[in-house]
Amino acid sequence: MISIPDHGIPLFPLNSVILPRGRIPLQLFEPRYIDMLSRCLKACHGFVVVLLREGEETGRHVHFHDLGTYVHIVDFQQLNTGLLGITVEGEAKVQVIRHWQQPDGLYVGDLQRLAEETRSEVPEQFGELPSVLHSLCRHPVVRELDMDVDYDDAREVGWRLVELLPLDKQEKLRLMALQDPLERLGRLQALITTLEGG
């Protein structure tokens, strides 16, 4: 199990979620986040992506949920737009125990790592879910993230579907909070049926 620092860790509020082994691209242009990136790279540690509750991603004062995912940087590059682009990968779900805002506007917090979910095979009754995920992963934007997905692991199938399906962000948070991968697959199957109009 990778050691994760737990005090004064940078927090990155977003309108989307990431879960362990997932990847998302981010564009950085605010000084507080560019400084954060520099410090993270120098110290060889990551930061925590938390889901916004109120406010805008670029807002100086926002409210966010205390459940998040500790991520590390796997790639960064200067984009054609002049912005800094990074790709991060999730490592572990964490609880933000307390947080505060630095003078530069960056939120930081103290963390508690949540127990790792138990690996299990995808049961037969959820056999269509890996196929749904496979279809989503064929999208060019997702393919570009170069994720190594284990379609036999109930945790990974659930995590990736939570990230990629067009679900309400509160629903994503509820699914993220579950610690039982099979319960998550059951809920996802019901939600997919609803999305399909069945």
Side-chain angles (χ1 to χ4, degrees), residues 138-195:
R138 282 203 295 265
H139 190 285
V141 173
V142 181
R143 270 212 320 262
E144 241 175 61
L145 295 172
D146 197 26
M147 285 189 289
D148 181 19
V149 181
D150 183 349
Y151 293 95
D152 296 321
D153 184 341
R155 298 172 305 176
E156 281 210 45
V157 171
W159 290 337
R160 300 295 75 80
L161 286 171
V162 170
E163 292 165 349
L164 298 173
L165 283 171
L167 302 172
D168 173 80
K169 68 179 186 178
Q170 294 305 316
E171 188 63 63
K172 285 179 183 271
L173 187 74
R174 282 192 287 273
L175 290 163
M176 180 180 178
L178 296 174
Q179 285 292 97
D180 180 349
L182 301 187
E183 185 183 350
R184 185 180 294 116
L185 292 187
R187 291 214 199 167
L188 282 164
Q189 186 151 282
L191 287 164
I192 287 169
T193 303
T194 304
L195 286 171

Side-chain angles (χ1 to χ4, degrees), residues 3-152:
S3 172
I4 290 176
D6 59 6
H7 177 70
I9 304 307
L11 306 176
F12 199 105
L14 279 182
N15 261 318
S16 51
V17 301
I18 179 173
L19 283 141
R21 291 179 55 80
R23 289 186 174 186
I24 52 170
L26 301 170
Q27 293 186 10
L28 307 183
F29 57 91
E30 295 180 71
R32 57 179 166 168
Y33 292 129
I34 292 168
D35 289 348
M36 177 197 79
L37 174 66
S38 175
R39 288 197 300 272
C40 286
L41 291 170
K42 278 181 192 161
C44 294
H45 68 65
F47 56 94
V48 174
V49 171
V50 285
L51 182 65
L52 269 173
R53 197 167 60 213
E54 288 174 33
E56 300 297 320
E57 289 181 346
T58 55
R60 187 139 178 118
H61 298 290
V62 297
H63 296 283
F64 46 83
H65 296 277
D66 59 7
L67 177 65
T69 300
Y70 183 84
V71 302
H72 65 275
I73 299 147
V74 292
D75 188 31
F76 66 96
Q77 59 185 327
Q78 199 76 36
L79 303 174
N80 297 334
T81 55
L83 302 180
L84 191 60
I86 66 171
T87 301
V88 298
E89 182 172 293
E91 273 187 27
K93 292 194 293 182
V94 296
Q95 200 83 30
V96 180
I97 305 303
R98 68 184 193 99
H99 70 270
W100 60 97
Q101 194 172 24
Q102 298 181 158
D104 66 356
L106 183 71
Y107 285 95
V108 293
D110 293 344
L111 314 177
Q112 181 180 329
R113 183 178 183 143
L114 299 182
E116 199 165 325
E117 294 178 29
T118 307
R119 189 193 190 285
S120 57
E121 299 287 309
V122 177
E124 200 174 314
Q125 73 260 37
F126 303 131
E128 71 175 76
L129 295 182
S131 304
V132 172
L133 177 58
H134 209 274
S135 299
L136 291 167
C137 286
R138 282 203 295 265
H139 190 285
V141 173
V142 181
R143 270 212 320 262
E144 241 175 61
L145 295 172
D146 197 26
M147 285 189 289
D148 181 19
V149 181
D150 183 349
Y151 293 95
D152 296 321

